[in-house]
Amino acid sequence: GRMSFATELQSVRSRKRLSQSQAAAVIPGLSVRALQEWEADRKAPPVWAQGLILAKLRASRARRKT
């Protein structure tokens, strides 16, 4: 079946090599805490927002730490 949002979020984040705080920073106003809740599958954003969030993460560039 379809991957859960939690699973999909984790796989996109690991493919992009983003930490939880880097991933949260991609979405304006998203706290790391909320991202952790999503990944733990305890909470999820509205279904209409899920695709937007994943698309934004897929389009993001991991910022190199200087």
Side-chain angles (χ1 to χ4, degrees), residues 1-60:
R2 245 177 55 60
M3 270 202 285
S4 73
F5 177 69
T7 308
E8 204 151 1
L9 186 57
Q10 287 170 24
S11 74
V12 170
R13 190 167 66 74
S14 67
R15 271 204 307 280
K16 285 289 184 176
R17 294 187 173 78
L18 295 168
S19 68
Q20 286 183 325
S21 59
Q22 285 173 321
V26 172
I27 313 296
L30 177 63
S31 67
V32 177
R33 183 91 188 100
L35 183 85
Q36 289 168 343
E37 296 276 278
W38 294 350
E39 288 196 355
D41 216 359
R42 282 190 294 270
K43 291 199 174 88
V47 175
W48 61 263
Q50 294 178 8
L52 297 174
I53 291 161
L54 293 169
K56 210 158 160 58
L57 287 174
R58 287 191 186 102
S60 71

